[in-house]
Amino acid sequence: MSTHIGTSPAAVAASVNVPIHRQPVNVTVTGAGGQIGYALLFRIAAGALLGPTTPVRLTLLEIPQGLKAAEGTALELEDCAFDLLRGVTVTDDPAVAFAGVNIALLVGSRPRGPGMERADLLEANGRIFGPQGAAINAGAAEDVRVLVVGNPANTNALIAAAHAPDVPSERFTAMTRLDHNRAVGQLANHLDVNVGAIHGLTVWGNHSASQYPDVFHATAEGRAVRDLVDEQWLAQTFIPRVAQRGSEIIAVRGGSSVASAANAAIDHVADWVTGRGSEWTSAGVVSDGSYDVPPGLVCSFPVRSVDGQWRIVTGLERNEFSRSRIAASVAELVEERDAVRALGLLPLGRR
Ligand code: NAD
Ligand code: LMR
């Protein structure tokens, strides 16, 4: 089932107050009737994802039970009269949702509740990402970029990529930008500096409690962070606080993060598409074997966007502490990969 709310090009041109000269970019959001979908879609339509001169065409994918909520969101999008929005399609058919898609935000999946780990969602949510990967393979635009937000994000991205053999695997990414932003926020708070003064921080590994937020190459106002913080604070306060922040949010607000997750998804895609010069950030990308991470795993690395492609920042020294933390998180990714393989969620012969 699909519905379409269109905006005539003439009507759009009449309301435009910035020079808009590009073709619309097709952006698909899955789980569009859910919480993150609601926090994400209006910002995309307002230009936060691709900038103030790039029009977008939105497609909202839901399961049948979620269609009404997505349709309501589509009506509200229309009521915002966004200059950049060139139409909204709501559908429960992945083939329709991913036909011609340039940017796919795979959010739709169950969130965890109190007392659960994200890996507890492996089987139920993992089953969503194979068919979606296959639909992307069948119909997406040549330049498609995919961000997996639904948990467990790294392994879901691995599953989706494995079902899309014709799409270069580096186009499949998993969101660890929320962890990165959390780490920047905690560090800036602790050092009493602006978040913009922090550079060179990395979140390594899995978007899970095993992740390793690493400050050993970071600077704050140009000074080495390792000289500004003590090891006890790092090991006993900073790392666990960042790694457990998702659980903290669930405990405090009674549900998993929403607006900060949507914001991180926008940061990830905006940086990926537009680049950030020499600045580095963190993203779950397919390992090329760098830093002893087995090739093919979707692992969070230090990355820079160069010419619209994530590049792993290479050559960083890691002390014993960092090595063991990274290895522990990578070991968990290997376990998750083996678990979904055993469940038949990875096609034989690929990854
Ligand atoms: P939600 O329950 O509010 O919304 C999820 C939506 O997905 C629902 O509307 C549901 O109908 C839809 N859905 C389920 N299966 C689908 C499918 N096969 N195709 C399309 N839609 C489908 O949940 P939410 O708060 O929006 O969170 C979504 C996911 O994002 C969860 O897995 C959550 O754990 C994850 N998350 C990840 C991060 C991260 O940093 N990577 C951060 C926050 C949340
Ligand atoms: C988060 O980090 O906030 C999300 O992954 C939601 C969760 O389950 O923790």
Side-chain angles (χ1 to χ4, degrees):
M1 200 230 105
S2 303
T3 53
H4 179 74
I5 296 172
T7 314
S8 83
V12 168
S15 65
V16 164
N17 54 15
V18 286
I20 296 174
H21 42 80
R22 298 185 198 161
Q23 285 300 307
V25 172
N26 294 322
V27 180
T28 296
V29 176
T30 75
Q35 297 248 50
I36 295 176
Y38 197 74
L40 194 51
L41 286 158
F42 296 86
R43 291 192 60 196
I44 297 173
L49 191 74
L50 299 170
T53 60
T54 305
V56 291
R57 205 180 283 125
L58 286 172
T59 301
L60 281 49
L61 178 68
E62 259 296 345
I63 49 176
Q65 308 89 289
L67 276 177
K68 278 284 162 212
E71 282 167 8
T73 302
L75 296 180
E76 283 202 68
L77 281 162
E78 192 181 27
D79 292 348
C80 292
F82 287 119
D83 282 346
L84 295 169
L85 188 57
R86 295 295 188 273
V88 184
T89 299
V90 181
T91 183
D92 59 3
D93 181 349
V96 172
F98 295 119
V101 64
N102 304 108
I103 294 175
L105 300 171
L106 307 189
V107 178
S109 53
R110 221 183 109 192
R112 66 176 166 150
M116 292 171 76
E117 286 301 323
R118 298 178 187 99
D120 296 336
L121 301 167
L122 209 52
E123 183 169 1
N125 284 349
R127 296 196 181 280
I128 294 171
F129 290 85
Q132 291 187 355
I136 288 168
N137 195 58
E142 241 177 62
D143 67 348
V144 66
R145 290 178 170 90
V146 182
L147 171 63
V148 175
V149 174
N151 279 319
N154 301 55
T155 299
N156 289 339
L158 176 80
I159 294 170
H163 285 79
D166 303 327
V167 178
S169 59
E170 65 268 19
R171 305 285 187 73
F172 285 84
T173 62
M175 192 165 93
T176 57
R177 182 58 174 270
L178 178 54
D179 309 295
H180 180 96
N181 289 349
R182 287 168 172 165
V184 169
Q186 292 298 318
L187 190 59
N189 237 349
H190 182 68
L191 297 176
D192 196 20
V193 299
N194 288 333
V195 289
I198 308 274
H199 300 282
L201 192 144
T202 304
V203 171
W204 299 87
N206 199 1
H207 173 60
S208 75
S210 74
Q211 68 181 256
Y212 171 48
D214 173 5
V215 304
F216 283 104
H217 299 277
T219 57
E221 294 181 337
R223 298 166 66 197
V225 167
R226 61 174 179 273
D227 298 335
L228 303 176
V229 297
D230 64 63
E231 283 182 13
Q232 196 181 340
W233 178 80
L234 275 183
Q236 290 175 19
T237 304
F238 173 74
I239 294 172
R241 185 95 196 264
V242 173
Q244 303 282 355
R245 186 67 157 191
S247 302
E248 184 181 347
I249 302 282
I250 290 169
V252 174
R253 75 181 287 277
S256 71
S257 59
V258 177
S260 56
N263 179 67
I266 285 170
D267 284 350
H268 176 115
V269 174
D271 286 349
W272 190 2
V273 173
T274 60
R276 307 180 90 205
S278 61
E279 186 65 70
W280 91 51
T281 181
S282 307
V285 298
V286 174
S287 172
D288 59 1
S290 296
Y291 299 104
D292 304 324
V293 178
L297 282 185
V298 177
C299 179
S300 188
F301 285 102
V303 291
R304 284 193 183 97
S305 175
V306 181
D307 297 332
Q309 295 189 49
W310 287 125
R311 301 266 186 237
I312 296 172
V313 177
T314 53
L316 298 179
E317 300 240 332
R318 289 147 301 143
N319 61 19
E320 257 326 293
F321 179 80
S322 294
R323 279 175 194 277
S324 71
R325 292 281 183 152
I326 296 167
S329 198
V330 169
E332 186 185 45
L333 285 171
V334 170
E335 267 173 38
E336 287 187 11
R337 179 198 61 196
D338 293 348
V340 293
R341 189 175 275 151
L343 289 165
L345 300 182
L346 284 182
L348 286 177
R350 296 194 204 121
R351 278 181 259 279

